[in-house]
Amino acid sequence: MLPQYIVFGQLGLIVVVEVFTLLLAWSYFKLHRQNLELQKKVAELDHLLLADEQKILDKARDEGKQLIVKAQGQAEKIVGDAQEFGSQSNQALAKMLDSLSEKQVEVSNQVIGRVRDDTVTLLQELIQNLKQHAASEMDTFGKGLQQEFTTARQNAQQTIDAAYGTATAEVEAYKEKRLEQIKRQMTILVREIVEKVLAKSVDERQHEQLVLQAVEEAKKDGIL
Amino acid sequence: MEYSEVLNAISTVFEMEQLMQAIAALKTAMYKTEAHVYEETFRAKVPLHLADLMRRNIPEDRDKGVEYLEGLKEAMEGMPVVTITMAFHPTEGFLAELGGSLKELMQKQVLVDIRVRRLLLGGARVEYGGRFKDYSVRHRLTEILDDQSGRIAAWGSDG
C-alpha cells in the first residue's frame, strides 16, 4: 500500500496536467477562431478592392468618351472654319486677278518674249558650239584614223617585205641546194662517162703524155 | 766523195727509201767479222739496178766505206722532191722518162714522189717547194661543170 502523500501527490499532478491540457485546448480554439475571422476580413477587403478597380475603370472610360466627343466637335468646327477661309481666299484671289491691268499683261508678254528670245539665242549658241565641238572631234578622229591607217600600212609593208625576204632566201637556198645536187650528179655522171671513154680511147702512152704535159705546164706556171 | 753517179741513177722517193734502208743495213754488216754477212746483206737490200753502181763506188776499206754510205745518205736527203699525183701506176720506164724530163726542165737532179689516185682520171697534180697546181682531167672537168652550173644558175635567175 502506497503512502497517502504519494497518492495525493499523484492525484495533484494529474489535476495539474488536466488543467494545463484544458488551457492548451482553450488557447487553440481561441487562435483558430481568430484565424477564421482574419480570413473573412481578408476576403472582404479583396472584394472591396475589386469593386474599386472596376469603378475606376468605368470612370476612366466615361471620361475618355467625353473627351473624344469633345475633340470631334472641335475638329468639325476647325474644318468648317478652314473651308470657309478657303472659299474666302478664292474669292479674294479671283478679285485680284480680275483687277490686273492690261499694262501688266503687256509687261508680262514682254518678259515672256525676252525670255523666249534669250532662249533662242542660247539654243543657237549651243548648237553652234556643238557643231564646232563635233567638227573638232571629227578632225581629231580623222587624224587618228589616218595615223592608224599609215601605221597599219607600214606594218603590213614590213610584214610583206620580211615574208618576201624570207621566201627569197628560202628559194635561193633551195636553188643552191638543188644546183649543188645537180652538180654532184653531173660530176658523177661525167666522170663515169669520161672513165669509160678514157678507158677505151686513151691508151697508156697517152696517159703518160698527159702527165708529161702537166709537168711542162707546171714549169710554165712557175710551180717547178 | 763523188755521189753523182748513184744519185743520177735514182729518180723516185721510193728508190731513195730503198737505198736508205740498204745503207743502214750495209753499215751494220760492215762491222760484222764474218765476210759473208756483208755480201748477203748487199744482195738482199740493195736494189738490183743499183747493185753494180754501189759495188763500184763503195770503198773496200771499212771506215771509208761507212763514210761513203753516210755521205750518200746525206746527199739523198738534200735532194729536192717533186710530188706528182697521177691516175695510174707508172712503169719503171716512164718513171725514168719522167725523171729525165724533170731534170731537164729544172736543170738539176730531183726525186719524184709518185702517188696514185684513180679519181683524177688522167693528167697529174704537181707539187714542189710549197707550191701546188692541179692539171688532172678531173679538175678540168670540175671547172667545166662549175662554169655550166653558173650558166644554169643564171638561167634560173633569168627565169
Side-chain angles (χ1 to χ4, degrees):
Chain A
M1 195 77 179
L2 290 170
Q4 198 173 5
Y5 68 89
I6 293 173
V7 173
F8 284 119
Q10 287 179 340
L11 286 173
L13 187 60
I14 291 167
V15 169
V16 168
V17 169
E18 284 297 327
V19 169
F20 184 74
T21 304
L22 287 171
L23 285 171
L24 192 64
W26 182 75
S27 298
Y28 173 76
F29 283 121
K30 189 179 177 182
L31 285 169
H32 181 67
R33 193 167 57 243
Q34 286 178 348
N35 185 34
L36 290 173
E37 285 176 356
L38 284 170
Q39 286 180 349
K40 189 178 176 182
K41 285 181 178 176
V42 166
E44 287 174 353
L45 283 171
D46 288 340
H47 182 70
L48 286 171
L49 282 170
L50 286 170
D52 287 344
E53 286 175 357
Q54 189 61 43
K55 283 178 182 175
I56 290 166
L57 285 171
D58 292 341
K59 186 180 178 182
R61 191 183 304 118
D62 293 340
E63 287 178 353
K65 283 180 180 178
Q66 287 174 4
L67 285 171
I68 289 166
V69 169
K70 190 177 180 181
Q72 283 178 342
Q74 287 179 349
E76 286 172 357
K77 186 182 178 185
I78 289 166
V79 169
D81 291 344
Q83 286 176 345
E84 186 180 357
F85 177 75
S87 177
Q88 289 173 357
S89 297
N90 286 334
Q91 289 173 1
L93 187 61
K95 284 180 181 175
M96 283 176 69
L97 287 171
D98 291 338
S99 65
L100 281 173
S101 65
E102 289 181 359
K103 189 176 180 182
Q104 286 172 323
V105 171
E106 186 182 349
V107 170
S108 299
N109 288 334
Q110 287 176 354
V111 170
I112 290 167
R114 200 161 53 241
V115 169
R116 185 187 60 208
D117 293 342
D118 291 345
T119 304
V120 169
T121 304
L122 188 65
L123 282 171
Q124 285 174 344
E125 288 177 355
L126 184 63
I127 288 166
Q128 189 64 30
N129 287 336
L130 282 172
K131 278 183 181 176
Q132 289 174 353
H133 184 69
S136 175
E137 286 292 324
M138 282 300 291
D139 186 49
T140 304
F141 177 73
K143 285 178 181 173
L145 193 64
Q146 190 176 9
Q147 181 66 32
E148 287 290 327
F149 178 72
T150 304
T151 305
R153 190 171 57 190
Q154 286 173 349
N155 289 339
Q157 188 63 44
Q158 286 173 357
T159 305
I160 289 166
D161 289 345
Y164 181 75
T166 304
T168 305
E170 286 176 357
V171 167
E172 283 297 323
Y174 177 74
K175 195 167 80 174
E176 288 290 327
K177 188 179 171 186
R178 288 294 298 155
L179 281 173
E180 188 60 31
Q181 287 177 346
I182 290 167
K183 186 179 166 186
R184 268 206 307 275
Q185 289 171 350
M186 282 173 68
T187 305
I188 293 166
L189 189 64
V190 171
R191 194 179 68 213
E192 287 175 354
I193 292 168
V194 170
E195 277 178 351
K196 288 175 183 175
V197 170
L198 286 175
K200 288 182 180 177
S201 62
V202 181
D203 59 18
E204 187 178 328
R205 185 56 198 162
Q206 285 173 318
H207 271 301
E208 290 172 353
Q209 289 292 339
L210 285 173
V211 174
L212 291 172
Q213 190 180 338
V215 170
E216 286 174 5
E217 286 185 35
K219 176 63 180 175
K220 287 177 187 172
D221 292 339
I223 304 298
L224 298 177
Chain B
M1 291 188 179
E2 181 59 42
Y3 307 111
S4 59
E5 194 177 8
V6 176
L7 294 179
N8 285 333
I10 60 174
S11 58
T12 67
V13 171
F14 178 71
E15 286 176 310
M16 183 193 74
E17 288 171 350
Q18 281 183 318
L19 199 53
M20 287 286 195
Q21 290 176 1
I23 288 169
L26 288 174
K27 279 169 63 181
T28 305
M30 280 180 177
Y31 289 100
K32 302 288 183 182
T33 52
E34 299 87 351
H36 66 93
V37 173
Y38 175 80
E39 187 57 32
E40 286 171 2
T41 303
F42 192 95
R43 283 202 296 269
K45 295 291 182 180
V46 178
L48 195 59
H49 68 284
L50 298 174
D52 290 341
L53 273 175
M54 291 291 281
R55 282 188 193 282
R56 280 202 305 271
N57 285 282
I58 296 172
E60 290 184 2
D61 180 74
R62 190 178 65 181
D63 292 338
K64 288 183 179 177
V66 169
E67 187 183 352
Y68 176 82
L69 291 174
E70 287 178 348
L72 180 61
K73 182 185 171 189
E74 285 180 12
M76 286 192 295
E77 285 174 345
M79 286 179 76
V81 177
V82 177
T83 303
I84 294 180
T85 308
M86 56 183 74
F88 60 97
H89 287 283
T91 61
E92 286 186 8
F94 178 65
L95 285 176
E97 185 182 359
L98 183 62
S101 179
L102 284 169
K103 185 178 178 183
E104 186 181 337
L105 286 169
M106 299 175 74
Q107 297 295 312
K108 61 183 173 185
Q109 184 66 31
V110 293
L111 290 174
V112 185
D113 185 9
I114 297 294
R115 296 177 187 181
V116 177
R117 197 175 171 203
R118 293 194 179 280
L119 283 174
L120 296 183
L121 301 175
R125 285 181 183 172
V126 181
E127 183 180 353
Y128 175 69
R131 292 187 295 274
F132 164 86
K133 193 158 183 182
D134 194 340
Y135 301 96
S136 68
V137 174
R138 176 189 171 86
H139 179 69
R140 287 171 182 172
L141 278 174
T142 305
E143 285 180 334
I144 293 167
L145 290 171
D146 283 342
D147 182 54
Q148 294 301 319
S149 299
R151 288 185 184 180
I152 293 168
W155 294 341
S157 300
D158 294 341

